[in-house]
Amino acid sequence: MSENNTNVVVIGGGYAGVMAANRLTLRGDVTVTLVNPRPSFVHRIRLHQLAAGNDAAVVEYKEVLAEGVRLVVDTVDRIDAPARTLELATGDRLAYDYLVYAVGSTGAELRVPGAAEHAHPIATLEDAQRLRPVLDAAPAEAPVTVVGAGPTGIETAAELAGAGRPVTLVCGGTLGPYLHTRGRRSVARRLARLGVTVVDGPDSTVTHVTATAVRLADGRELASGVTVWTAGFAVPDLAARSGLATDTAGRILTDETLTSVDDDRIVAAGDSAAPSGLPLRMSCQAAMPMGARAADTVLSRLADENPETLNQPFGAQCISLGRHDGIFQFAKADTAIWFHVDGKPGAKLKETVCTVVVKHLADEARKPGGYRLHRGSGAATRQKKLQAVRGQTTAA
């Protein structure tokens, strides 16, 4: 290893971080270190399957991480940007020339009375691993309540119902807010076939959780032997604690090349990044292209070239409805349209996506630079959104 190598450290070994680390190995004069608190890659879009007991939701890093990437299993406590060093939980320090900030997201704090004591989140690997034995210990006839009707909530409710559990899905508003009306009707029908009771509408917000029930805003009380909480996501406060500029949610603020507004040696990707204060939807669909873009920004700077800006479209969202059903909802500019594929074909498409996500990472590990989905056709749409936001800010 040459002493003249550029040292790049990636914080976070999820979809964005692994993609960035693999891509950075394009240059032989770059030393890449990945810091992650777990020794294995978490396939997060399968956590609902882990809770139901039909997938481990874990992939060994040797399957998805390039051989040239050094893995450090530790947690970053603080970023010392002026000194270009990281303070680790073990007391060690890591120096860097460039830093990729890809710490991802976790579940939102449970602030509803009783939720922290009696509800079970499913946002992280550890959450799902703790939930699994709770479900195993509950009687088969015990009512399960899933709170939150985004993709995670829908998938969790369907997965548990498919395993024979009596499930109620409490939406806190609309079932699948992202879905087109036609897609939403399809999901509702298929949940009903699985035996899921859907509670939606303006008064379906949970106001209190006990060990045996969930109380709603309209006063209704639903019996619940196990309450699973899927509503809301949050990001780690590492950037804020380190004195870097963040948005109100704690995502690190960057420009359109994903470069921190505070320091051009720090780039960010994934759920924890807020480019131009207009973050992308939290998803692996956004994280992997952003990881590739972040790596390309670093590589461009090393080559004395101007980095390209974000250019990624959102063409669909897929949701599994148990092991034999699903929906692939097409979209335009990340707005759902009428066309969708559901039923068994929808399930096959969703399973294909879950498989291909890991394959993309593995392919980039073997042949860095091969991934190109971040070079799509979404730049014009994003520029319109940016202009609209800037226009509103100026007017205000």
Side-chain angles (χ1 to χ4, degrees), residues 171-236:
C171 299
T174 304
L175 173 67
Y178 171 87
L179 295 168
H180 187 273
T181 303
R182 291 182 62 173
R184 185 173 299 113
R185 286 199 296 264
S186 173
V187 169
R189 286 195 303 269
R190 295 171 193 284
L191 287 174
R193 290 176 193 169
L194 287 167
V196 177
T197 300
V198 175
V199 179
D200 59 1
D203 295 322
S204 62
T205 302
V206 175
T207 58
H208 195 87
V209 181
T210 70
T212 58
V214 168
R215 191 175 304 146
L216 305 184
D218 60 5
R220 280 179 292 174
E221 196 164 278
L222 309 176
S224 184
V226 180
T227 300
V228 183
W229 200 276
T230 71
F233 287 93
V235 300

Side-chain angles (χ1 to χ4, degrees), residues 69-200:
V69 177
R70 174 193 174 206
L71 175 64
V72 174
V73 181
D74 208 332
T75 300
V76 178
D77 278 346
R78 182 175 174 272
I79 301 167
D80 186 345
R84 293 183 194 161
T85 59
L86 305 178
E87 299 173 8
L88 305 184
T90 55
D92 292 339
R93 295 176 70 91
L94 275 180
Y96 66 84
D97 296 308
Y98 284 92
L99 179 68
V100 178
Y101 185 88
V103 298
S105 62
T106 186
E109 184 180 353
L110 301 183
R111 295 182 177 178
V112 173
E117 295 83 6
H118 303 297
H120 302 272
I122 194 175
T124 68
L125 175 66
E126 292 76 17
D127 289 338
Q129 288 174 333
R130 284 189 290 266
L131 174 59
R132 178 68 245 153
V134 171
L135 289 165
D136 285 342
E141 68 276 8
V144 176
T145 302
V146 177
V147 180
T152 303
I154 292 172
E155 291 189 327
T156 302
E159 205 74 33
L160 296 178
R165 295 280 181 179
V167 179
T168 298
L169 177 62
V170 179
C171 299
T174 304
L175 173 67
Y178 171 87
L179 295 168
H180 187 273
T181 303
R182 291 182 62 173
R184 185 173 299 113
R185 286 199 296 264
S186 173
V187 169
R189 286 195 303 269
R190 295 171 193 284
L191 287 174
R193 290 176 193 169
L194 287 167
V196 177
T197 300
V198 175
V199 179
D200 59 1

